[in-house]
Amino acid sequence: MQIKLDYNNMMTEFVGKHGISQGDIDALKGKISAAARAMENKRNQMAWRDLPYNQDDIVQDILLYVAEILPRIDTLVVLGIGGSALGPIALNQAIHGSFYNFCKKPRIFVIDNIDPTTMNDLFAQLNLETTLFSVVSKSGATSETMAQFMIVKDMLESRLGKERTKQQIVCTTDAQNGNLIKTAKTEGYKTFYIPSGVGGRFSQLCSVGLLPAAFCGIDIKKLLAGAAYMDKICENDQNPAYIFAILHHLALKAGKNISVMMPYSDGLKFMSDWYAQLWAESLGKKYDNNGNEVYVGQTPVKALGATDQHSQVQLYTQGPFDKVICFLTVEEFENDITIPKTFEDMPTLGFLGGNTLARLLNTQQKATEYALQKEGRPNMTITLPKINEHTMGQLFYMLEMATAFAGELLNINAFDQPGVEEGKDATYALFNRPGYEDKKAELETALPKSEKYII
């Protein structure tokens, strides 16, 4: 059950001058070979690539913990941001659908922001005695997550007492360093570890993503098996991850600096959010590996078919030639609905009768694909035979590999985020965190805003 990449509509034979020719790919052959060698030579520096193989003990620990605690837990609240949140959201939506919390337990809420209204609304819905809070921060210094944790810890201790609070909190963090591991050890919280060398946006296949998945009945062994399956596929240089990266690289060089991810499945809706962080944070860089200013990267945009046929596709078909569109499609949906043969006396409606919603949805994807191709707009399609743990493991791993390979083609570090760190440092300084006095002084020299530009 292998996912497939169809990139016919990226090529000049199908979309004309705005497409990519085989000659374009051949001209990049030297850089492609160098990038492939780098991927192998640097494999020991990419710890996330070992996750499909080295977690048997961790998986067993997770499953035993879930079995032990699940009888008294009906709600899981994940406190995390970025990769700590987007992966678990995307996977749960894919496997369980949009209305999981209405019909199954434990419910899962992933709180990835610090909006006080959202937090208060959530707390009003929870029975603290049957809620487990999963705190996820590798550094233990993520302001948003740690602020949430401080609020939750205080609330639990004041209502349930310190001893009972130990049973309602689980931490996922670095094994050695940071505030969260220190607190977890001091307080006696159950703890899972994020492997060294696994960054947040590449962490879905470690305890960050596996723990909430297991709580919700997702088969994490099959998820990892799917990732391992894709890893084996990627041993061949002609693999979907590398091709995805090569095509985006060539498109970017041709001025197509927007990458649209458009699933035709509500189950895959939040894969666009996860992909947006992965692609943007990894590839949007000021400097290359030689210290040269390059200002590279594509802006990821999320869309949903068929919904955004009615909001965005007009721009994609007839707007600027600055986009690559990637569809995500599903061959076989878990459940389908047949449209009744109603209004047979009305030809403009009757033609729908007897068809299924899955056929209608996939037909609309093909129609949108054709409309783009007709207008010379490059697009590709990733197809999942079905949505299940095995195919989702493949998809997560394929896009991670594509991102890393794209970084090598661009000669940039795909695994840091200095632009994010600048914002974090400024926040610390504005809150007078010790050690950030110089940054505070820098902020105080910033040009003050002018009232004439505020109306």
Side-chain angles (χ1 to χ4, degrees), residues 146-330:
M146 297 310 288
Q148 294 172 333
F149 170 52
M150 292 160 71
I151 292 167
V152 165
K153 181 177 184 294
D154 181 73
M155 180 175 61
L156 288 171
E157 289 180 352
S158 64
R159 298 188 192 180
L160 303 181
K162 198 171 181 68
E163 284 302 312
R164 182 59 188 275
T165 295
K166 294 179 183 180
Q167 303 175 40
Q168 309 304 123
I169 292 176
V170 58
C171 299
T172 303
T173 187
D174 188 85
Q176 303 292 335
N177 303 310
N179 296 319
L180 188 53
I181 186 59
K182 293 176 184 176
T183 302
K185 288 180 177 179
T186 299
E187 301 291 343
Y189 302 143
K190 174 65 177 178
T191 307
F192 293 94
Y193 302 120
I194 303 172
S196 177
V198 175
R201 56 188 179 274
F202 290 85
S203 66
Q204 173 57 23
L205 297 174
C206 74
S207 54
V208 170
L210 299 182
L211 179 61
F215 260 102
C216 298
I218 294 171
D219 191 327
I220 58 178
K221 292 182 180 180
K222 290 182 179 178
L223 182 74
L224 292 172
Y229 181 71
M230 179 54 64
D231 185 51
K232 295 301 181 186
I233 292 171
C234 290
E235 290 178 354
N236 180 348
D237 287 352
Q238 290 291 314
N239 67 72
Y242 287 9
I243 295 297
F244 183 96
I246 291 164
L247 295 172
H248 277 80
H249 178 82
L250 289 168
L252 177 61
K253 294 300 182 183
K256 295 172 180 60
N257 59 0
I258 297 173
S259 174
V260 179
M261 182 67 75
M262 190 170 186
Y264 271 74
S265 161
D266 284 351
L268 299 175
K269 176 179 181 179
F270 290 105
M271 282 302 297
S272 296
D273 295 69
W274 177 81
Y275 170 76
Q277 184 204 7
L278 182 72
W279 203 246
E281 201 166 68
S282 298
L283 304 181
K285 297 296 161 64
K286 180 178 180 179
Y287 298 105
D288 67 13
N289 290 328
N290 304 115
N292 301 308
E293 289 188 349
V294 288
Y295 297 101
V296 297
Q298 280 179 314
T299 300
V301 172
K302 59 183 181 179
L304 178 67
T307 301
D308 287 316
Q309 288 178 203
H310 301 270
S311 62
Q312 298 181 33
V313 165
Q314 173 61 36
L315 175 67
Y316 299 165
T317 55
Q318 296 187 342
F321 287 87
D322 58 357
K323 303 172 190 67
V324 174
I325 293 93
C326 179
F327 298 110
L328 295 180
T329 65
V330 181

Side-chain angles (χ1 to χ4, degrees), residues 84-94 108-112 204 267 270:
S84 303
L86 295 172
I89 291 171
L91 181 60
N92 192 62
Q93 173 85 2
I108 180 170
F109 298 99
V110 181
I111 310 303
D112 64 344
Q204 173 57 23
F270 290 105

